[in-house]
């Protein structure tokens, strides 16, 4: 599987149902919100469903609410939950994987954590964050990012391949440059051919930017 490919048999007229995922600090929310505005479709972050003031939802209720969202005609759903694959990924016409390099992810986590710890961001996450939980604890943000990158990425590759085999278009983006290029192609393509142009964009990457055949991590 190449870094950005159309799954066999996937040729919807438009981008209508988009599932988007990636590691923390890969820009999932930024891209999902941009797509929501660009395509005029609702955006849902699965974390906002799962985590309630009373605690995380039970799995069956989480699945039920996610399934209700993807039963509609057009949507953009963001999140990494393999237990929802059949009600999210498999109902999509396009699956977008933000598979950015680990050094870049660690840099972004560090930059964001420093901004939050020094009071330059006022959010619930910033108020909960401590220096220990960001950098030094056994399960700090940085250590967790490294661990998940090593363990989750091969699993994601297998699951994405299974999804593509169902005829769902897959777009795998490995660098900020590829993300910008895909956004540009999606924004400038006529509405009737956005899906085709967005998924075909990997064929037009510059030689220095084309990822070549996918290999499992």
């Amino acid at each position: 599987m190449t870094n950005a490919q159309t799954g066999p048999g996937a040729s919807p007229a438009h981008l209508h149902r988009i599932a988007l995922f990636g590691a923390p600090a890969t820009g999932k929310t930024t891209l999902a919100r941009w797509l929501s505005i660009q395509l005029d479709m609702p955006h849902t972050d699965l974390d906002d469903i799962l985590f309630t003031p009373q605690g995380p939802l039970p799995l069956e209720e989480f699945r039920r609410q996610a399934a209700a969202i993807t039963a509609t005609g057009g949507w953009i759903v963001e999140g990494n939950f393999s237990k929802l694959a059949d009600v999210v990924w498999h109902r999509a016409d396009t699956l977008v994987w933000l598979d950015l390099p680990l050094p870049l992810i660690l840099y972004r986590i560090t930059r964001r954590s420093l901004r939050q710890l020094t009071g330059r961001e006022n959010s619930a996450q910033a108020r909960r964050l401590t220096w220990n939980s960001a950098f030094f604890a056994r399960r700090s943000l940085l250590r967790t990012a490294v661990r998940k990158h090593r363990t989750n990425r091969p699993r994601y590759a297998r699951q994405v391949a299974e999804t593509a085999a169902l005829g769902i278009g897959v777009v795998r983006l490995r660098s900020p440059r590829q993300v910008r290029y895909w956004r540009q192609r999606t924004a400038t393509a006529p509405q009737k051919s956005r899906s085709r142009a967005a998924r075909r964009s990997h064929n037009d990457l510059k030689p220095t930017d084309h990822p070549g055949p996918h290999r499992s991590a």
Side-chain angles (χ1 to χ4, degrees):
M1 180 173 61
T2 58
N3 286 31
Q5 78 164 42
T6 303
S11 57
H14 310 324
L15 289 165
H16 279 316
R17 302 178 302 280
I18 304 171
L20 188 150
F21 80 103
T26 53
K28 297 187 299 296
T29 300
T30 298
L31 181 57
R33 288 175 176 171
W34 180 85
L35 287 168
S36 177
I37 295 171
Q38 188 69 30
L39 303 177
D40 192 24
M41 296 192 301
H43 159 230
T44 301
D45 186 337
L46 291 174
D47 282 349
D48 293 339
I49 298 176
L50 176 60
F51 298 108
T52 73
Q54 293 74 38
L57 289 177
L59 176 58
E60 287 307 311
E61 177 61 18
F62 186 30
R63 285 175 53 82
R64 187 192 69 78
Q65 293 194 28
I69 291 169
T70 59
T72 61
W75 44 265
I76 299 162
V77 171
E78 165 197 351
N80 301 354
F81 295 96
S82 59
K83 292 181 179 180
L84 303 185
D86 59 320
V87 296
V88 178
W89 287 19
H90 297 175
R91 292 183 178 182
D93 56 48
T94 306
L95 176 65
V96 179
W97 180 7
L98 290 169
D99 184 26
L100 302 188
L102 180 59
L104 176 60
I105 292 172
L106 297 179
Y107 166 75
R108 288 182 173 182
I109 290 175
T110 300
R111 183 180 61 182
R112 182 173 64 189
S113 297
L114 289 174
R115 186 173 65 247
Q116 293 172 340
L117 289 166
T118 54
R120 287 179 287 167
E121 179 181 316
N122 183 22
S123 65
Q125 182 182 19
R127 290 189 291 272
R128 291 194 304 267
L129 191 66
T130 66
W131 289 94
N132 197 45
S133 63
F135 301 118
F136 306 118
R138 182 180 179 184
R139 295 185 177 274
S140 68
L141 296 179
L142 286 183
R143 292 186 180 185
T144 298
V146 173
R147 183 178 67 254
K148 287 188 174 182
H149 189 270
R150 291 174 177 171
T151 59
N152 290 354
R153 194 161 170 265
R155 175 169 57 84
Y156 289 156
R158 291 192 298 271
Q159 292 172 335
V160 167
E162 293 169 359
T163 301
L166 297 174
I168 296 163
V170 173
V171 177
R172 184 175 180 181
L173 304 170
R174 288 178 175 255
S175 71
R177 187 176 183 180
Q178 288 187 2
V179 174
R180 290 192 299 270
Y181 187 73
W182 187 74
R183 281 180 51 158
Q184 181 183 22
R185 289 297 301 270
T186 302
T188 58
Q191 177 63 29
K192 66 180 180 180
S193 61
R194 271 182 178 154
S195 179
R196 184 186 309 161
R199 294 175 195 165
R200 190 180 55 198
S201 63
H202 70 290
N203 293 324
D204 300 325
L205 292 173
K206 295 178 181 179
T208 57
D209 211 27
H210 200 287
H214 163 67
R215 295 179 177 84
S216 297

